[in-house]
């Protein structure tokens, strides 16, 4: 059996009681940190959980995933994943492969940026549209996907969660703004919320998207929400109290 | 101080280590179950956490929220919430009120249906659009919001998560299908995924939206995802393996 255990957003204390029980009972405990990052060091997790943990690389869950699946047929494996498992396609593909080989797979869910971002910004969870990732330029080409997704979401008056690339190093908000500025046709000249360290010592600022790079967000992980065409009055009030939103945000209160 | 502690999706074992520590240190522990439900009984939570728990009613967090806020100025309060706190507007409004009175508020995040639904359906988290709730008819009037949201999401080729009303009793998938059928103009004659008991003994079926009512989903909570205009090949493969999807789903693989 293979059990994916979510580690939640911050450190070794964010695992659930159910997740910790699975770790203690496992024959072998793996962790993967390339689809998502945790602020804790692996040594902290080992101490807190009382188990040795082996790190999986990208290839272990992709090209060579058959090794893990075959081992899961014999042993009780746990794979620790920051946030909520299965948000990454890598995990769901591995689940399909395991099922086809008759190996049981279980998921122990945990907190994810996908829902937690609503909590720290006060933005209504049901008003978020599609999510996109801002990637580092690849051979000098910048992906237009984040801009396309923002446009699609604006067309239905939805907020856009922009996740920032994690590899080789977690992208910061100023980096993301600089990257997107090079391809923006004006759609990002709009209110946005910058968020750092959700689940830890979080820091949240609402401002014009381009002004976000002038704020000191501190250490990553960082993420950005580009607001929809309008905000609800309760969203406005929350952003004024907790995210230093400018008074001019009132212009888009619906 | 007021600390909102997420209970996650299923029972007393889904709380995080951090959340449990907050419960043990609190002067007083409250819980609210009207914005979301847990399958555990309150007695199970009290036994597992070793603390007495007082249930808050809707009015305690809305009309009379000043009582809780004032108590939070003097004492260390924990408010337990199923899922991830702050998904409900009630919580963010209380946070604003507390901030204005100088009372600290903290959130300890946990798993939410908003992200977990991607895990159990294999649908890509970044392809979900806005979320909507299917409510019971109010004075014989059925809210058109879920249909409007599905249409908006289809216009940008996004999946729609439909949460089902919880009060007075958790709505089932057959009930939701019967309600929406009365106002549907054809948009729901489309593939959908019915999901029961995420985080527990989950059960997932992909079929035409109207055919979902013919499957035996068992106990609630139930939820439905109306698929976008197309699905990715890995979404298709997952739904075939884990959700008994019909082969005809292949017609909308992009």
């Amino acid at each position: 059996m293979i059990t994916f255990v979510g580690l939640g957003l911050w450190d070794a204390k964010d695992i659930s009681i159910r997740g910790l029980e699975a770790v203690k009972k496992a024959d072998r405990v793996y962790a993967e940190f390339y689809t998502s990052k945790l602020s804790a060091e692996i040594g902290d997790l080992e101490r807190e959980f009382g188990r040795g943990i082996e790190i999986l690389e990208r290839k272990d869950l992709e090209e060579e995933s058959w090794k893990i699946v075959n081992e899961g047929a014999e042993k009780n494996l746990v794979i620790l994943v920051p946030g909520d498992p299965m948000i990454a396609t890598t995990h769901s593909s591995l689940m399909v492969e395991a099922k086809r080989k008759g190996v049981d797979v279980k998921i122990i869910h945990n907190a994810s940026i996908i829902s937690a971002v609503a909590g720290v910004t006060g933005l209504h969870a049901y008003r978020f549209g599609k999510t996109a990732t801002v990637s580092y330029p690849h051979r000098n080409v910048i992906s237009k996907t984040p801009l396309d997704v923002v446009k699609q979401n604006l067309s239905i008056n939805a907020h856009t969660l922009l996740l920032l690339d994690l590899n080789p190093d977690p992208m910061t908000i100023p980096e993301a703004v600089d990257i997107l500025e090079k391809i923006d046709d004006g759609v990002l000249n709009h209110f946005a919320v910058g968020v750092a360290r959700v689940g830890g010592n979080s820091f949240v600022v609402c401002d014009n998207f381009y002004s976000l790079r002038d704020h000191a967000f501190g250490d990553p992980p960082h993420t950005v929400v580009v607001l929809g065409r309008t905000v609800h009055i309760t969203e406005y009030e929350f952003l004024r109290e907790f995210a230093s939103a400018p008074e001019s945000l009132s212009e888009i209160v619906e």
Side-chain angles (χ1 to χ4, degrees), chain A:
Chain A
M1 178 151 98
I2 301 173
T3 306
F4 283 94
V5 175
L7 288 171
L9 295 165
W10 194 244
D11 66 18
K13 291 193 169 177
D14 289 316
I15 196 170
S16 66
I17 307 292
R18 186 186 308 284
L20 189 56
E21 286 181 359
V23 168
K24 289 188 187 293
K25 281 191 300 197
D27 295 320
R28 205 160 171 185
V29 182
Y30 293 109
E32 73 89 351
F33 296 112
Y34 74 87
T35 63
S36 187
K37 303 279 180 200
L38 207 66
S39 293
E41 302 288 330
I42 187 83
D44 296 342
L45 298 181
E46 290 183 318
R47 260 190 307 281
E48 192 82 22
F49 301 166
R51 294 292 308 255
I53 298 171
E54 299 163 72
I55 305 279
L56 296 174
E57 304 298 329
R58 188 183 196 104
K59 70 162 171 36
D60 299 320
L61 287 176
E62 298 192 350
E63 300 89 313
E64 300 180 9
S65 54
W66 57 272
K67 290 186 187 170
I68 289 285
V69 172
N70 287 356
E71 194 182 6
E74 309 287 329
K75 290 181 184 164
N76 203 347
L77 307 182
V78 156
I79 303 178
L80 299 170
V81 182
D84 193 19
M86 301 296 133
I87 290 306
T89 315
T90 305
H91 306 148
S92 57
S93 296
L94 191 121
M95 239 174 116
V96 168
E97 189 180 343
K99 177 87 189 303
R100 288 176 178 164
K101 290 190 178 169
V103 177
D104 282 341
V105 182
K106 236 179 83 176
I107 310 172
I108 298 181
H109 293 284
N110 207 322
S112 161
I113 182 73
I114 300 263
S115 64
V117 72
V120 292
T121 59
L123 295 168
H124 298 180
Y126 60 86
R127 301 195 61 193
F128 280 77
K130 285 188 195 170
T131 299
T133 298
V134 182
S135 303
Y136 289 109
H138 183 64
R139 298 180 184 179
N140 277 320
V141 177
I142 298 171
S143 164
K144 289 202 164 57
T145 305
L147 279 185
D148 291 341
V149 169
V150 168
K151 281 178 199 171
Q152 289 175 15
N153 287 336
L154 284 173
S155 79
I156 63 167
N157 194 16
H159 308 315
T160 306
L161 172 61
L162 294 178
L163 302 174
L164 308 190
D165 207 346
L166 293 168
N167 298 302
D169 292 302
M171 187 186 289
T172 64
I173 288 171
E175 288 176 308
V177 173
D178 288 348
I179 289 169
L180 291 179
E181 185 174 36
K182 297 199 175 87
I183 54 168
D184 182 23
D185 52 11
V187 69
L188 292 176
N189 191 7
H190 194 77
F191 287 108
V193 185
V195 180
R197 299 176 303 284
V198 175
N201 57 335
S202 60
F203 179 72
V204 185
V205 171
C206 174
D207 205 337
N208 179 281
F209 177 79
Y210 285 105
S211 303
L212 287 182
R213 67 182 145 199
D214 305 326
H215 295 274
F217 284 96
D219 290 336
H222 291 179
T223 189
V224 175
V225 179
V226 180
L227 296 184
R229 283 186 280 105
T230 62
V231 291
H232 188 268
I233 179 71
T234 57
E235 295 179 315
Y236 169 75
E237 287 177 344
F238 194 100
L239 291 170
R240 286 284 287 168
E241 290 295 337
F242 292 99
S244 321
E247 217 183 311
S248 56
L249 182 65
S250 64
E251 290 161 19
I252 66 165
V253 170
E254 63 200 9

